[in-house]
Amino acid sequence: LGQYEKSRSKRWSQSKPFRPSRSGDKWIFVYRSWARMEEHHGTFSTANAAYARATKTYRNHSVLYLGWAKLHARHGRNDRARFLFKVACDKCGGRSAEPYREFAEFEMSRGDHARAKSILYLGAQQLSEATDVSPKGDELARLYYTWALCEWYLENF
């Protein structure tokens, strides 16, 4: 082999191992984009239907439930939004702090800081007990920042 082939062979052997993607998961972004497009250019009912269809297909993805909950929150359907936020938190388990933080921010925007504090506590507990996946550092920092704001509103400092 020539120098070029040897260097290519060496580089190929040192590269990261090939990991096949989970082929079905790539379509979650298509559903998510479709639902967002319906939110901006369609009606509430078409966006709601898009999220309903997406969550039937991808039952274990918290990002879809989180987007659906935000849709209901923006349209003043607080009880349905709370239910969907809870489902998003259940689906993510201890893998992400975002559903807990978003749920707590929703409750804080409604003036229920005590409920927000309990949600943040539950989120921190779930994230600290999760052993299989560690959350990103900034996610946990954002959760604690939201918790600090909640404590400030409750005047617990």
Side-chain angles (χ1 to χ4, degrees), residues 61-141:
H61 288 276
S62 63
V63 292
L64 293 172
Y65 288 99
L66 192 58
W68 200 5
K70 290 178 187 178
L71 173 72
H72 280 276
R74 277 193 297 276
H75 288 274
R77 298 169 187 230
N78 296 339
D79 291 335
R80 181 70 175 158
R82 278 188 189 95
F83 172 76
L84 292 168
F85 275 121
K86 287 177 187 176
V87 171
C89 291
D90 290 342
K91 297 291 181 185
C92 83
R95 292 185 304 271
S96 176
E98 186 178 8
Y100 296 102
R101 185 179 55 80
E102 294 281 347
F103 189 14
E105 287 176 358
F106 165 76
E107 291 296 349
M108 288 170 58
S109 70
R110 302 300 184 261
D112 196 350
H113 293 89
R115 185 182 288 185
K117 181 180 174 180
S118 66
I119 292 165
L120 292 165
Y121 178 78
L122 179 65
Q125 185 179 24
Q126 291 287 327
L127 291 166
S128 65
E129 290 176 357
T131 57
D132 55 340
V133 179
S134 63
K136 297 176 188 172
D138 66 330
E139 281 189 36
L140 204 52

